[in-house]
Amino acid sequence: MSDPFHSRRPEGYRASFGTTTIPGWAVLLATMIAVAFGIGLFLLSASIVLVLTPLVVVGVLIARWRFRRAIRRAAERGQGGSIEAEYHVIDIHREP
């Protein structure tokens, strides 16, 4: 465990923090790059949405049409809607 009162730094070492000023042209350049990147990302995502939305809608409509057609064909080939089965009554309350 380290001792918080005695650090491992060499004698005479002092941590100092300084500030610096950023030139106005650098701030303006960074802002312009960030805005251009944001606009490019927005345009890319909007174009992807504009391309994918019609494809998804057409796919859903085709799937819906095929599903309805399959249901209609199955109903036409059906046996009238009744299920034939053989039943046996099992008497549980029978005396031995």
Side-chain angles (χ1 to χ4, degrees):
M1 183 180 252
S2 65
D3 186 5
F5 299 106
H6 301 291
S7 68
R8 296 182 184 185
R9 295 185 182 129
E11 283 293 320
Y13 177 81
R14 288 183 52 198
S16 63
F17 297 99
T19 60
T20 182
T21 58
I22 300 174
W25 62 268
V27 173
L28 182 63
L29 182 64
T31 303
M32 289 172 54
I33 290 172
V35 167
F37 181 73
I39 290 173
L41 191 61
F42 172 76
L43 290 176
L44 177 67
S45 63
S47 64
I48 289 173
V49 167
L50 287 174
V51 168
L52 288 181
T53 300
L55 293 177
V56 169
V57 168
V58 167
V60 167
L61 290 175
I62 290 173
R64 182 179 164 197
W65 172 69
R66 290 182 60 141
F67 180 71
R68 286 187 176 187
R69 186 177 65 171
I71 293 294
R72 193 176 313 119
R73 285 183 180 173
E76 289 172 358
R77 282 188 257 141
Q79 298 178 0
S82 65
I83 300 174
E84 294 183 23
E86 189 174 321
Y87 296 98
H88 298 279
V89 177
I90 301 174
D91 191 13
I92 297 175
H93 302 291
R94 185 175 59 179
E95 293 182 20

